C-alpha cells in the first residue's frame, strides 16, 4: 500500500514536469512571434509611426529667455518696433491678368528644354523668366532641369532635379492658364537630345524679347525643340516695355503662387516657424549676406583677418582672370565699407537694433547657410541678444534626413587638394645631362600634407579653385533646401533685416528676393532697407566708444531707420529693379484698397501727396470683389517719423543687461518710459 502511494506520487511529478515543458515551449514560441512582429513593424512603419513618435518626444536645446513676461504696459513701444508701416497698409497683392489674356493654344511652336545653374535666388529668377519666355514664344515648356540637383550630385534617387526643390504638380496646375507644361520631352526628341542634335542657346539675364522673337523662335519652329542654358541668374531683361506688362504679372504668379516647395521641405519650414512663434513673441529674421563670392566681388577682404583675407583675395583673383569683376586685386576695404559696398557685420547690426529699442530678449533668426568668417563673427550678436537662433537649433537631424530622402553612402576617394608638382622632368634631365661634373640630383618629390596647413592649403598651390568632390556636390544640393527653409521663414517674419543685398556677381541676392516677396505679400510688414553708407558714417562716430552712445546719436539712428522704412523703397526701385524684377514687383503686381474717392476730395490737403511713396509708381485701385474691407486713406496728422522723434528712453548705456548691478547709468525709470510711450501714442495716433 505504501509502494502504491509512492508510485502515484512519481506519476504526478512526471505529469507536472511535462506540463512545465509545454508551458515553456509555448512561451518561447510566443516570444519568438512577438519579436518577429516587432521587427516587421519597425521595418515597414519607420517612415510614419516612428516619425510621429519622434515628433512627440522632440526636445530642443534652445529655449527662449525673456526678461519680462508682460508686454501690456509697452503698447506704444511694441507698435514702434513691430507694428505695420501705415503708408503701405492699403497695398495688396494682385497679380491676376487685367486685360485681354488668352489661354495657351494646344498647338505650340515646339518644346523648350532648360538647364539652370546657380544658387537658390538665381534658380527662382530663372524659372520665372523661362515661363515668360515660353509664353512669349508660344512654346511648350519642359519642367526645368536644375543642374545642382541632378542624380549625379549624389542626392536621393526619389527626386528628379526640379522635384527635389519644388512641387511639380502644383507648378503645372497653377500655370495651366498661362503656359503649356510637360514633364519630359517626347521619345523622338529625347534621342536627339542624347545625341546633342538639338540647337542650344546660352542666354544672359539681359536678353530682350526681340532676341527671342527674331533669333530663337525661327530655330524653334524649324527644329520643334531648343535647349536654353541659364547660368546668369535669369534669361530675360527685368524691365519690359509697357505693352508687355502682363508678362510681369506672369512672373509674379510664377514666383509667389506656382513655385511651392516640396511637401517635405515645406513641412519642416512650417515646423520651424511654429517653434519660433511658440512663445507668443514676434521675431526678427536676419540675413547676413556674408558670402565669399560677394566679399570678393566688392573688395571687402580687409574686413577679415588671416586666412579669410587670403581666401577672399584668391577668389577675387579668380574673378578678375575670368572677367567677372573689373578693377584691381587690392582694394581699400575701409573705403568700400564707408561707401556702403560691404556687408554690415553682425556686431554692427546688433548695435543698430539695440539703439532702435529692441531688447536683449528679442528673438533673432539668422538665415543663410554660410556666414563667411565662421561662427565667431556672430559672437558679438549673441552677446547682445540672448535668443539668437538658426535652423540647426530648431530642427533635429532625423527631420533633415527625412527631407533629404534616402541617399546612398558615398566614399569619396578623390583628393580634395591639388596634387603636388611632378618631378619626373627634373629626374629625366639629370639622366641625360651629359658627362660629369654634374649638379647634385634633385631630392625626391614629397607630397604636401595640407592637413598641417589647414583645408585652405590649395590657395598657395594653384590659381584655380579646387574641384568639388561628390560629397561637396551633395552638400551644395542640401544648401538649396536649407535656403528654401530660410526663405520661407524670412518672408513670414515680423521684421526682416538684410545685412547685404548683392551676390557674387553684383546682382540682387537672396535678401533682395525676400524683400520683394514681402513687398508683394505683406507690404506693410517691417522690412528695414538700410542705407549702408549712412549707417557706416553713424558707426564711425562712436567707433571709440562702440558700446555706449549719447541721446543725439541714438536719435539719429532711429530717425534713419524710420525714414528708410518708406524712403528706402525709392532707392530699392532704382538699384534693384533694373537687375531683378522680383526684388521690386510693384506697381505691376499690386493694387490699392484706399477709397480713392475720399482721398480725391481731400486732394488739396498736405497729406494727400503722401498716400504712397513715389517709388511705387501708379498704383491701381483693387477690383470691386476685393473692396469688402476698403480702408480710408492716411490721415494728415499721422507721421511715421513722429513716433520716436523725441524719444530719449535709451540715453546713456546702449545695452541694458537683464541681471547687472547698474542701477543708474542713464537708464530711464518706468514712469519716464510710460510718459514717452504716451507721447508716442498721441503723436502717432491709432493704427
Amino acid at each position: 500500500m505504501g509502494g502504491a502511494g509512492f508510485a502515484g506520487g512519481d506519476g504526478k511529478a512526471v505529469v507536472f514536469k511535462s506540463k512545465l515543458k509545454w508551458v515553456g515551449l509555448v512561451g518561447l514560441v510566443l516570444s519568438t512571434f512577438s519579436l518577429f512582429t516587432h521587427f516587421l513593424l519597425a521595418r515597414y512603419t519607420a517612415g510614419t509611426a516612428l516619425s510621429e513618435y519622434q515628433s512627440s518626444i522632440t526636445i530642443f536645446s534652445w529655449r527662449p529667455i525673456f526678461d519680462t513676461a508682460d508686454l501690456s504696459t509697452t503698447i506704444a513701444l511694441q507698435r514702434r518696433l513691430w507694428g505695420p508701416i501705415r503708408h503701405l497698409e492699403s497695398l495688396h497683392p494682385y497679380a491676376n491678368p487685367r486685360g485681354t489674356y488668352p489661354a495657351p493654344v494646344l498647338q505650340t511652336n515646339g518644346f523648350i528644354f532648360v538647364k539652370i545653374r546657380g544658387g537658390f535666388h538665381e534658380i527662382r529668377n530663372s524659372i520665372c523668366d523661362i515661363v515668360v519666355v515660353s509664353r512669349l514664344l508660344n512654346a511648350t515648356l519642359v519642367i526645368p532641369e536644375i543642374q545642382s540637383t541632378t542624380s549625379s550630385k549624389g542626392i536621393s534617387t526619389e527626386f528628379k532635379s526640379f522635384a527635389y526643390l519644388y512641387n511639380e504638380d502644383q507648378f503645372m496646375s497653377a500655370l495651366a492658364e498661362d503656359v503649356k507644361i510637360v514633364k519630359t520631352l517626347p521619345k523622338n526628341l529625347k534621342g536627339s537630345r542624347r545625341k546633342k542634335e538639338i540647337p542650344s542657346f546660352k542666354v544672359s539675364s539681359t536678353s530682350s524679347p526681340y532676341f527671342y522673337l527674331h533669333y530663337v523662335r525661327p530655330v524653334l519652329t524649324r527644329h520643334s525643340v531648343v535647349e536654353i542654358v541659364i547660368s546668369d541668374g535669369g534669361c530675360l531683361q527685368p524691365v519690359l516695355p509697357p505693352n508687355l506688362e502682363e508678362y510681369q504679372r506672369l512672373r509674379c504668379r510664377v514666383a509667389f503662387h506656382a513655385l511651392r516647395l516640396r511637401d517635405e521641405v515645406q513641412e519642416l519650414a512650417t515646423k520651424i516657424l511654429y517653434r519660433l512663434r511658440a512663445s507668443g513673441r514676434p521675431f526678427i529674421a536676419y540675413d547676413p549676406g556674408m558670402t565669399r563670392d560677394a566679399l570678393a566681388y566688392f573688395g571687402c577682404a580687409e574686413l577679415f583677418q588671416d586666412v579669410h583675407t587670403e581666401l577672399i583675395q584668391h577668389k577675387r583673383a579668380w574673378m578678375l582672370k575670368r572677367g567677372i569683376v573689373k578693377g584691381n586685386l587690392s582694394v581699400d576695404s575701409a573705403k568700400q565699407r564707408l561707401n556702403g559696398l560691404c556687408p554690415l557685420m553682425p556686431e554692427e547690426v546688433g548695435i543698430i537694433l539695440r539703439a532702435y529699442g529692441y531688447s536683449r530678449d528679442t528673438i533673432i533668426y539668422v538665415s543663410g547657410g554660410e556666414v563667411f568668417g565662421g561662427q565667431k563673427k556672430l559672437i558679438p550678436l549673441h552677446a547682445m541678444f540672448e535668443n539668437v537662433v538658426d535652423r540647426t537649433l530648431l530642427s533635429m537631424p532625423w527631420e533633415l534626413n527625412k527631407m533629404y530622402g534616402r541617399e546612398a553612402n558615398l566614399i569619396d576617394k578623390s583628393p580634395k587638394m591639388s596634387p603636388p608638382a611632378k618631378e619626373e622632368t627634373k629626374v629625366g634631365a639629370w639622366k641625360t645631362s651629359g658627362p660629369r661634373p654634374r649638379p647634385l640630383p634633385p631630392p625626391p618629390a614629397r607630397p604636401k600634407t595640407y592637413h598641417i596647413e589647414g583645408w585652405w592649403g590649395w590657395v598657395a598651390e594653384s590659381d584655380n579653385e579646387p574641384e568639388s568632390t561628390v560629397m561637396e556636390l551633395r552638400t551644395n544640393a542640401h544648401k538649396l533646401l536649407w535656403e528654401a527653409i530660410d526663405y520661407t521663414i524670412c518672408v513670414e517674419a515680423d521684421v526682416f533685416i538684410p545685412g547685404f543685398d548683392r551676390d557674387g556677381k553684383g546682382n540682387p541676392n537672396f535678401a533682395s528676393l525676400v524683400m520683394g516677396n514681402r513687398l508683394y505679400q505683406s507690404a506693410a510688414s517691417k522690412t528695414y532697407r538700410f542705407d549702408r553708407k549712412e549707417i557706416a558714417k553713424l558707426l564711425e562716430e562712436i567707433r571709440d566708444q562702440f558700446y555706449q552712445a549719447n541721446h543725439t546719436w541714438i536719435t539719429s539712428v532711429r530717425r534713419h531707420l524710420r525714414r528708410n522704412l518708406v524712403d528706402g523703397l525709392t532707392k530699392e526701385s532704382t538699384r534693384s529693379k533694373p537687375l531683378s524684377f522680383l526684388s521690386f514687383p510693384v506697381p505691376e503686381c499690386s493694387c490699392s484698397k484706399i477709397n480713392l474717392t475720399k482721398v480725391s476730395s481731400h486732394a488739396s490737403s498736405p497729406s494727400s501727396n503722401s498716400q504712397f511713396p513715389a517709388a511705387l509708381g501708379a498704383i491701381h485701385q483693387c477690383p470691386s470683389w476685393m473692396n469688402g474691407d476698403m480702408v480710408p486713406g492716411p490721415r494728415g496728422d499721422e507721421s511715421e517719423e513722429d513716433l520716436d522723434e523725441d524719444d530719449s528712453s535709451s540715453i546713456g548705456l546702449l545695452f541694458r543687461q537683464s541681471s547687472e548691478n547698474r542701477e543708474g547709468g542713464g537708464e530711464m525709470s518706468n514712469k519716464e518710459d510710460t510718459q514717452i510711450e504716451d507721447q508716442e501714442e498721441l503723436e502717432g495716433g491709432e493704427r
Side-chain angles (χ1 to χ4, degrees), residues 249-288:
R249 283 188 275 276
L250 176 56
R251 274 173 162 161
C252 292
R253 291 197 293 277
V254 178
F256 308 131
H257 299 281
L259 286 178
R260 182 184 298 171
L261 297 177
R262 173 162 55 90
D263 290 344
E264 294 84 357
V265 183
Q266 185 63 51
E267 179 185 353
L268 183 54
T270 304
K271 283 182 179 179
I272 293 177
L273 192 60
Y274 171 79
R275 290 160 187 166
L276 277 168
R277 296 194 184 279
S279 62
R281 299 286 188 104
F283 73 95
I284 295 174
Y286 163 52
D287 181 66

Side-chain angles (χ1 to χ4, degrees), residues 240-246:
L240 298 177
N243 63 315
L244 298 179
E245 188 173 303
E246 286 297 341

Side-chain angles (χ1 to χ4, degrees), residues 21 45 48-49 63 67 102 108 141 192 201 230 235 241 281 294 311 355 368 386-387 401 425 480 527 529 544 618 681:
K21 290 180 181 179
T45 63
T48 57
R63 285 290 184 272
D67 294 340
T108 62
L141 175 64
S192 300
F201 293 88
I230 309 174
C235 62
R281 299 286 188 104
L311 287 170
E386 297 172 323
N387 299 316
N401 291 334
T425 55
L480 290 179
T527 301
R529 294 171 173 85
D544 295 334
E681 183 74 24

